[in-house]
Amino acid sequence: MIITLKDGSKKEYDHSMSVYEIAQDISEGLARAACAGEINGENVDLRTVVAEDCELNILTANDEKGLAALRHTTSHVLAEAVKRLFPEARLAIGPSIATGFYYDFDHAPFSREDLDNLEKEMKKIVKEGAKLEKFTLPREEAIKLMEERQEPYKVELIRDLPEDAEISFYRQGEFVDLCAGPHLMSTKSIKAFKLTSSSGAYWRGSEKNKMLARIYGTAFAKKDELNAYLTQVEEAKKRDHNKLGREMEIFTTVDVIGQGLPLLMPKGVTILKEMQRWIEDLEDNEWGYIRTKTPLMAKRELYKISGHWDHYKDGMFVLGDEEKDKEVFALRPMTCPFQYYVYKATPHSYRDLPLRYGETSTLFRNEDSGEMHGLTRVRQFTISEGHLIVRPDQMVEEFKGCLALAKHCLETLGLEDQVTYHLSKWDPENKEKYIGDPQVWDETEESIRQILTELGVKFVEDVGEAAFYGPKVDINAKNVYGKEDTMITIQWDALLAEQFDMYYVDENGEKKRPYIIHRTSIGCYERTLAWLIETYAGKLPTWLCPEQVRVLPISEKYQEYAEKVNAEIRKNGIRTSVDSRAEKIGYKIREARLAKVPYMLVVGAKEEEEGVVSVRSRYLGDEGQKPLADFIDALAKEIRTKEIRKIEVEE
C-alpha cells in the first residue's frame, strides 16, 4: 500500500500497519509527539490500522485535533484520579473543549483543595505510564460491564447509541471508560496540565435532570505553553465583563429578581443610551430606516402563523395555560411578526419598496440556566432589530447594505478586527426543523455565498445553524475566555411573506410576494456592552464613557473655580463632575484612574489666575496647561467623531 503524507512524500508498505507504527517508521521523534491521525481527512486513533492506499497526516499537539486528543486523554486521567480518591463518584462525560477539557461526575461539589489533591493523584497516574488500550463489546456486554462498575450514566449513553454503533472502551490500568477516542498511546505522554475550576452542570444540559459536579482543566504538550495559557487566563479574569462591569457599577444581578435578568445601573444606562441614540440616528438619518414600536407580547396565534410556536416554543415565556385558557400569550422572542402587520396595515406598490423598518426591541428568550453569563447571555435584552421588505430584484443590494451598515458599526466601535463571518445554513438531514422547499434553501444559501465572495469577505459555512425559516450571515466574536457568541445577524427570508400573506402590487397591477431581510446593526446592546468592556478592559472610548471628565480642585479654596469649569464643560454636552472631597490631589487622581475616567482637570491657584486647566489623560498622561475653551473644543470633537484614541501611558 502507498501512504501519501502531508508534505506530499510517499511511503510504501507491503503489509497493514497502525498509524502509530507508521509514525515510528518515519521517526521516533514523530512517534513520541503523535497524538492522533487523520486518514483521508477523517480524524482517527493512533491504533487505527491502515490497510490500503490513503492520505495520512500524523497529528501532534501543534494541530488542533491532536491537542484535543491530548486533552481528552487528560480528562480520562482526571476521571481515574476521581475514582481513586472518591470511589463513590459516578462518571458522566469528559470531552475536550476549545480551552482544555472537563469531566462531569455525580458527586458533591469539588473544592479547590479537592482539585489540588486530584492534581497530585493525576501526576502519580501519569508517572505510572499505563498504556491506553482500546477494545469493543457487543451492546449487552457493554451494558453489563458498566452495570457491574455501577456507572448508570454510561449505561444510559450506551442504550441511546444506534443499534449498529460500535461500542468502544479504553482501559488504562484498572480504569475503564466508555469512549470513541482518539487517545494517546500512554498516560506518560501527558506533560503539562492544570485543573482550573469546578462548577455545577445538569446532566445532558437539561435543568430537568440531576445537577452534576463538573471539573474543568486544561493540558498542553509543554509546560511553558501551559504557563503562558494560565497567564492569559489571569489577564482574561481582569477583563471579564462579569467582574469588571460590577466593579465599575455598570450592572448588577439579584437572586430574587432572577438569573439572566441584570439590573443596569446609572452608568450602564448612560452607555447604552449613547449607543442607542447613535444607532437610531444612524439608521434613520443615513440608511433610510423608519421607526416602529410594537407590543412586548402577543397571542399564541401570531406565533403559530410565523411558525415559532411549533419550532421555538421551548425558548419562549408562555403566559397562560394552553389547556384551560381561551387566550394564551407569550412574551416576544423577536419583532418580525409585529413589523409584518405594520407593513400589512396599508397597501403597498412596487414603488414603495424597499421599506426598512427599525425598532429598538426588548425581547425575551427562555435560555437554560446553565447558559446565563453576565450581560452576554440573558433572558431579557434589547436589540437593534430591523426588517427590510424588498422586491426580489432588490434583495442582493439591500443585503449588501445591511452588511455594510454592520461593518460600519463594528469599525466605529473598534471591533471589526475581532469578528468572524459565518454562512449559517440549514441541515438537509433534519428537514423537519425547517419550513420551505429544499430548492428555496439551496438558492438562498448560494445567493448569500455569492454576496460574501463578491465583497471579499472571508467566511466559514456552518450546517444546521440557520433559523427555521432562512439562512443567515452570523458575525461572531469570542469573549476573553475564548467562547464564541453571535454579535450581529443578517438573514435572508424568502418564506414568511407567504405565511403572513404579505404582498405588493407590481407595475402590471398584480400582487407579488416580497422578500424580507431580518437584521441587526449593532446586535444585542447588552452583549455588545459586555464585548466593549472586555475589549477595552473597561476603558471605553471617550464618547461612551459615563463620566468623561472629572475636575479635581487641589484644595477647597479652589472649589468655586472647579465648579465654574465644570459648568462650562457641561454646557457643551460633556459628562463631567467635581471631586470636592477633602483629600490630597494624588489620591483624587488615583481614584479617577480607578474609575476609568478619560480626562482629569487639576485646578489650583495658577489655573484660576490664568483661566486655564491642567489636563491629565489616560492617553498621554500629563498634557500640561490648556485654555479651557481649547480643551472643550478638542474634547467635543473627539466625542462627536467617536474617535478611538490610543492609550500610551501605564496607569
Side-chain angles (χ1 to χ4, degrees), residues 523-577:
C524 165
Y525 282 97
E526 290 85 354
R527 184 175 289 181
T528 301
L529 175 55
W531 189 14
L532 286 165
I533 292 170
E534 294 188 351
T535 297
Y536 293 103
K539 299 173 185 175
L540 302 175
T542 302
W543 71 277
L544 285 174
C545 287
E547 184 182 3
Q548 295 162 327
V549 179
R550 187 176 293 184
V551 185
L552 311 177
I554 290 176
S555 72
E556 62 182 14
K557 289 192 298 184
Y558 308 106
Q559 179 71 24
E560 184 178 344
Y561 180 61
E563 294 291 351
K564 180 180 176 182
V565 168
N566 192 63
E568 192 64 30
I569 296 171
R570 192 178 293 271
K571 284 180 186 177
N572 290 269
I574 297 168
R575 293 184 288 277
T576 179
S577 67

Side-chain angles (χ1 to χ4, degrees), residues 248-252 263-274 529 544-547 575:
M248 293 176 64
E249 299 179 354
I250 290 173
F251 77 98
T252 189
L263 300 175
L264 286 167
M265 300 173 75
K267 291 180 180 178
V269 172
T270 297
I271 299 168
L272 290 190
K273 182 174 65 176
E274 284 296 318
L529 175 55
L544 285 174
C545 287
E547 184 182 3
R575 293 184 288 277

Side-chain angles (χ1 to χ4, degrees), residues 240-256:
D240 185 349
H241 86 277
N242 208 10
K243 174 179 179 290
L244 201 51
R246 296 170 197 270
E247 292 174 353
M248 293 176 64
E249 299 179 354
I250 290 173
F251 77 98
T252 189
T253 53
V254 182
D255 286 344
V256 295

Side-chain angles (χ1 to χ4, degrees), residues 268-294:
V269 172
T270 297
I271 299 168
L272 290 190
K273 182 174 65 176
E274 284 296 318
M275 291 168 64
Q276 182 178 329
R277 286 176 174 172
W278 165 53
I279 289 296
E280 290 181 351
D281 289 346
L282 178 69
E283 290 181 346
D284 299 355
N285 299 335
E286 298 183 34
W287 292 81
Y289 282 76
I290 50 179
R291 289 283 121 198
T292 64
K293 185 173 178 59
T294 55

Side-chain angles (χ1 to χ4, degrees), residues 377-537:
R377 179 102 30 197
V378 292
R379 286 174 167 153
Q380 176 184 310
F381 56 93
T382 304
I383 191 169
S384 60
E385 197 161 17
H387 295 89
L388 288 73
I389 318 299
V390 306
R391 301 191 311 264
D393 64 287
Q394 298 170 325
M395 190 66 167
V396 169
E397 286 307 309
E398 289 298 318
F399 202 92
K400 289 179 181 177
C402 293
L403 283 166
L405 174 56
K407 189 173 188 295
H408 172 77
C409 292
L410 291 170
E411 289 174 342
T412 302
L413 294 172
L415 302 173
E416 168 66 9
D417 62 349
Q418 297 183 35
V419 301
T420 55
Y421 289 77
H422 299 250
L423 169 50
S424 296
K425 307 188 296 184
W426 79 318
D427 181 1
E429 299 298 320
N430 293 283
K431 295 178 182 177
E432 70 281 356
K433 291 170 55 178
Y434 309 92
I435 62 175
D437 296 327
Q439 182 180 350
V440 174
W441 281 91
D442 292 342
E443 289 174 353
T444 53
E445 287 176 2
E446 179 57 28
S447 294
I448 297 176
R449 188 179 293 111
Q450 289 180 7
I451 289 171
L452 292 171
T453 301
E454 181 184 332
L455 294 176
V457 176
K458 293 181 180 178
F459 65 98
V460 296
E461 301 192 13
D462 299 330
V463 174
E465 294 299 316
F468 68 86
Y469 51 87
K472 55 183 176 171
V473 172
D474 284 324
I475 303 176
N476 296 356
K478 293 179 180 179
N479 68 9
V480 289
Y481 298 108
K483 184 181 182 299
E484 189 170 72
D485 283 299
T486 297
M487 311 308 295
I488 296 172
T489 292
I490 304 167
Q491 184 169 340
W492 185 302
D493 176 8
L495 298 170
L496 287 185
E498 180 77 28
Q499 305 265 115
F500 283 87
D501 191 28
M502 298 166 64
Y503 64 87
Y504 64 92
V505 177
D506 71 6
E507 58 269 35
N508 299 317
E510 297 179 358
K511 291 183 178 180
K512 298 288 185 180
R513 298 289 183 206
Y515 281 0
I516 302 165
I517 300 174
H518 309 241
R519 49 100 273 176
T520 58
S521 52
I522 198 176
C524 165
Y525 282 97
E526 290 85 354
R527 184 175 289 181
T528 301
L529 175 55
W531 189 14
L532 286 165
I533 292 170
E534 294 188 351
T535 297
Y536 293 103

Side-chain angles (χ1 to χ4, degrees), residues 150-164:
Q150 299 180 44
E151 299 293 358
Y153 298 97
K154 301 296 184 181
V155 171
E156 182 179 329
L157 291 171
I158 294 170
R159 292 190 189 280
D160 287 349
L161 290 172
E163 289 292 331
D164 59 348

